[in-house]
Amino acid sequence: MTSVPQRHTYYGAPSSVYTQSRHLSAFDTSTKRKHVTFGPYIVGSTLGEGEFGKVKMGWSKHPASSLDVPKQVAIKLVRRDTIPKNSEKEVKIYREINALKHLTHPNIVKLEEVLQNSKYIGIVLEYASGGEFYKYIQKKRRLKESVACRLFAQLISGVCYMHSKGLVHRDLKLENLLLDKQENLLITDFGFVNEFSPEDELMKTSCGSPCYAAPELVVTTWPYQARKADIWSCGVILYAMLAGYLPWDDDSENPDGDDIGKLYRYITKTPLKFPDYISPVPRDLLRETLLPDPKKRFSTSQILQHRWLRPHQAFLSVLPAEWDQVSKNQDILRRPPPKRDGANDSRPRSNCSVSSSNSKNEKRNSLIMDSTLYSHPVPPQQSQSHAVATPSSPSPRMRQSPIKISRHSRSNSAASVALQAVVDAEKEYHATHSNPPSSASLSALQSENPPFSSQSTSPRLHSHAPRKQSHATVSSLKDSIIIETSPLKGSSSHVLSPLQIDPNTGLILSTKPEGPVIPLTHTSHKASHAASNNTTHNLSAHRRPRPTSYHPTSYTAFNDTSYPIPALTVPELHQSDEKISVENQQSLDKTPQHTLQKDSHRLSQTFLDTQIVAGDLIKTGDDGATAAKKIHDQVEHADHKIDLMRHRRQSQRYSVVYDKLFGAVPEQCEVLTDEETVLTEPSTPLVREMKVSQEPTKGNKKRFSILSAYSSYNTSKTSIESDNGKEKSKATKKSGAGLEGRSTKTSSRSSSATQDVKGNRGDSKEISKPDMQAPTDKESRKTVVSYKTGSKPEQIESQGQQSVTPQAVKRSSSLRKTSKNSTRTNRGSVMISSLSRLGSSTDDSRNGNVEARPREQSTAKKVIDFFKRRSMRL
Ligand SMILES: Nc1ncnc2c1ncn2[C@@H]1O[C@H](COP(=O)(O)OP(=O)(O)OP(=O)(O)O)[C@@H](O)[C@H]1O
């Protein structure tokens, strides 16, 4: 079982970013969690649908830096169970992947990486936010010549680059061209890509779409020149750009369109017609590119030299090696991956297997390979998004770099920046070297119509590549990569061989096929043909409009079975299947487990924090009710206090309240009145609560907390007691005014008040007796509590030894408390009155029998008594 190499092309954000992200709000993280993810990407809406499945929008979950916006990508998701092993479909997928990883050109869609889990293979591509090119033309009806010229130059540049790498697209058509945000062209869909040998580029497998397919592919069974077939397709595309329609269509309006044979006979016999609005110069180019005879047809180099493309000569003169070099430099300029030790590596790793050029298990011929061929580690490009208008800030490293990287019109993709870099380098090269630039090059450099809508200054490269190019072999200077493609001979199949470069000279040492090369003899022509039929069937099921989509292989009389499909690489997908099936039991919706774990750990930090807080809140939810009740009680107690105070004052002021409740009360008994009113006045909170608790229907015995009742009681009592002293002194002061007269009234009132509890004793003096002391606090409390807790009146009865009504008990307890206090008050009051009486009685007793004392003493007697006492003293 082969081990699945860990994804290495993504280096994630520094841990600080994760730390910051933890501070995201709960809302952000919760929304994050809902996202469908695939590896390090959040999967968005469907961009389109092709033969292999849906292409989804994606965003990198972790931007390279906190300043970067998430990179947008297009993820072509291919269900693995729809790819039979060794099928044509499988080969097609891996053709595309293998081809794209070798191609770095601003007009070829960039392969970011390839991920896979148990269900899907995800081909992560550069996002072309400008949409499909054919729709662009449809919208504009036809393109202006200047626009068409720019875009055709881009197309030819990309095709030239591809051919220089020994690859032919074989399915170039409007539907396989996309636009980026700045309306630059992107060649995509490399499913029919193939390698060719410069010496023998003949191919026999016809593929592509009939309307774009060169006649030689359709009408003959002879091997065809692969590159010339691509050029024909480019001619058809150019015609469509300028005319707004295809030169030869297969639609029903064309009498020969529904019959491929007839169509191509028509094509070969009929000279090309042009609408009036196409000017002569592009007509000339079209005639040369759409020549039925491939030998007479223009080659790419001839097209590049055509005068119609002169405005873009500078761009077109950039060599493939220079594109590679610029791309490489661009990668170097990118921020290096942060070093992480295994334990502290917070970078989320995907269970999606990806190729890894750094992996020990690397197999360059693996079908699932690294998305790039860079010799340097390639972190995600910084802010490569085309869709986000806001330019991202350059990384600190980039700011430090003496080489200024500026935003290219095509966002800031490596290739796009490279484009301008090379143009500038070329300028510099020509300026400093003795070799004079070609007139074409000069004129191109002076062009005011660059092929890319660049709006910024270009980066400067310091490599000056010699402008020497052989067929499919590009050489550059020492610091440049020398690229040579391995030839394909006859039926022998090769993969693109990696370059053996002398580290000292930078020269290529050898080119040899590497790794296991399996000629796809297993894909016999029959199988291929069947597959093509299947493909055709599948294509017909495409949902997006495809005016010209079908494959000529199913229509041609192509019956050579001896010609094998040139091999690309060994499909290793199924080797890794087992591993993946064990490790990656996640579907698309379920992110690969490892990523999930890491991400969930990271996200869970946020969630954890949130949950901790939320947990506290939740926790306190139940306790909070109690706490809230306590607070409520406290507030109520405070209210109670206020009420007490208020009522006390009210009672002081309006003793009539007491009178109403307890009958006529002497106005002078303000102190007693005060206390009685407070504790017996039904509107007081305590009494209210007691009243509530008395309601049997509610049965809410717990509603009134014993503690709170007690504290209420105590509070009330305390407040009463504390106020008592003041009132007492006040009463004392007041009593000073009419002491004698009040004492009787007080006694009588006290007597009447105690009658309910102690019976009709009728003796005012007994109030001040010790046995008539008010119950202790404990007793009073007990009474209240027992009543509150539902004790029957009998209990209270037993305590009080009285048969009383609840009201009486209430009053009793209140009165008892009052009695205690009022005892003092009464006592004081009584004492004052008694003293006055006692004072007189003392005087009487001092004088002996008051009754025996003569009512009037004679003056003589008085004098005698005086002298008697005086003599006694003496
Ligand atoms: N890089 C991309 N950026 C934006 N959209 C894309 C990208 N790649 C593909 N699409 C969209 O997805 C659609 C299908 O893509 P594509 O043609 O590559 O899929 P396919 O499975 O290879 O289909 P076919 O081989 O039949 O063309 C395209 O028409 C386009 O709308």
Side-chain angles (χ1 to χ4, degrees), residues 1 8 29 106 118 131 269 422 428 563 573 692 712 726 737 797 871:
M1 189 192 300
H8 75 288
T29 48
S118 60
K269 286 177 187 167
V422 171
E428 204 170 301
Y563 199 89
L573 177 63
V692 167
S712 296
K726 296 173 191 174
E797 217 177 295
S871 64

Side-chain angles (χ1 to χ4, degrees), residues 549-683:
S549 291
Y550 63 96
H551 295 262
T553 43
S554 55
Y555 297 94
T556 55
F558 205 68
N559 56 1
D560 57 322
T561 54
S562 59
Y563 199 89
I565 297 170
L568 278 170
T569 48
V570 185
E572 287 187 353
L573 177 63
H574 294 281
Q575 287 181 20
S576 58
D577 267 356
E578 286 174 41
K579 181 77 176 175
I580 290 160
S581 63
V582 174
E583 292 185 359
N584 306 337
Q585 294 294 332
Q586 306 291 331
S587 68
L588 170 64
D589 291 355
K590 292 176 184 175
T591 311
Q593 213 160 23
H594 199 95
T595 307
L596 194 68
Q597 282 166 359
K598 284 275 181 184
D599 287 349
S600 64
H601 172 71
R602 191 176 59 79
L603 287 173
S604 69
Q605 291 294 334
T606 317
F607 270 88
L608 204 62
D609 296 341
T610 314
Q611 281 168 1
I612 285 165
V613 175
D616 286 344
L617 291 174
I618 292 161
K619 258 188 178 179
T620 55
D622 288 337
D623 297 344
T626 316
K629 179 135 179 53
K630 281 180 187 173
I631 293 162
H632 171 74
D633 290 342
Q634 285 171 7
V635 170
E636 271 214 343
H637 297 163
D639 287 342
H640 189 189
K641 271 187 176 181
I642 294 162
D643 282 350
L644 289 171
M645 295 289 287
R646 192 179 69 243
H647 287 295
R648 181 177 53 75
R649 286 196 202 101
Q650 282 175 350
S651 61
Q652 282 176 344
R653 290 172 194 163
Y654 309 107
S655 57
V656 67
V657 176
Y658 185 90
D659 294 345
K660 280 182 183 175
L661 288 166
F662 296 101
V665 179
E667 281 181 20
Q668 291 81 1
C669 298
E670 284 185 358
V671 175
L672 285 174
T673 303
D674 179 68
E675 290 182 0
E676 290 276 345
T677 307
V678 166
L679 293 170
T680 56
E681 207 277 312
S683 63

Side-chain angles (χ1 to χ4, degrees), residues 710-722:
Y710 179 49
S711 59
S712 296
Y713 164 72
N714 277 341
T715 312
S716 311
K717 187 167 79 67
T718 312
S719 71
I720 292 161
E721 284 179 348
S722 63

Side-chain angles (χ1 to χ4, degrees), residues 246-382:
L246 292 169
W248 304 282
D249 208 346
D250 58 346
D251 59 29
S252 55
E253 289 180 12
N254 185 334
D256 296 322
D258 53 352
D259 186 315
I260 296 298
K262 275 187 190 174
L263 173 68
Y264 274 88
R265 275 194 293 275
Y266 172 79
I267 288 170
T268 49
K269 286 177 187 167
T270 316
L272 194 60
K273 293 173 188 166
F274 299 101
D276 297 340
Y277 46 79
I278 297 179
S279 61
V281 182
R283 278 188 196 197
D284 182 62
L285 180 58
L286 282 168
R287 276 193 205 100
E288 301 298 337
T289 50
L290 290 173
L291 278 173
D293 185 355
K295 287 180 183 162
K296 293 180 184 171
R297 196 180 303 152
F298 261 17
S299 66
T300 48
S301 55
Q302 286 174 302
I303 292 173
L304 292 175
Q305 301 292 325
H306 196 272
R307 55 187 171 140
W308 191 60
L309 293 175
R310 261 181 211 161
H312 304 293
Q313 205 60 47
F315 167 68
L316 292 171
S317 61
V318 178
L319 298 176
E322 291 169 332
W323 289 126
D324 294 335
Q325 184 61 44
V326 171
S327 174
K328 188 181 165 186
N329 290 346
Q330 170 73 12
D331 296 332
I332 294 166
L333 291 172
R334 288 177 197 159
R335 190 178 52 191
K339 286 191 175 181
R340 299 165 192 276
D341 351 298
N344 298 328
D345 190 355
S346 58
R347 173 168 65 93
R349 289 176 184 279
S350 169
N351 238 7
C352 291
S353 80
V354 256
S355 55
S356 168
S357 61
N358 293 340
S359 167
K360 287 177 185 175
N361 301 321
E362 175 199 31
K363 291 180 180 176
R364 286 187 64 90
N365 294 321
S366 164
L367 286 172
I368 301 287
M369 292 182 80
D370 190 8
S371 59
T372 58
L373 292 173
Y374 307 131
S375 54
H376 295 268
V378 185
Q381 290 190 16
Q382 294 172 20

Side-chain angles (χ1 to χ4, degrees), residues 47-55 73-74 76 92 96 109 125-129 131-132 134-135 171 173 175-176 178 186 188-192 539 542 544 546 551:
L47 293 169
E49 204 164 347
E51 180 190 352
F52 295 105
K54 288 179 180 173
V55 179
V73 291
K76 191 184 275 193
K92 211 175 160 184
E96 182 163 17
V109 74
L125 300 164
E126 169 188 6
Y127 173 55
S129 60
E132 290 171 295
Y134 80 90
K135 285 184 181 170
D171 194 17
K173 56 182 178 182
E175 294 92 319
N176 287 338
L178 301 170
L186 291 176
T188 186
D189 199 351
F190 285 75
F192 285 109
L539 284 168
H542 286 182
R544 67 183 167 107
R546 286 180 171 271
H551 295 262

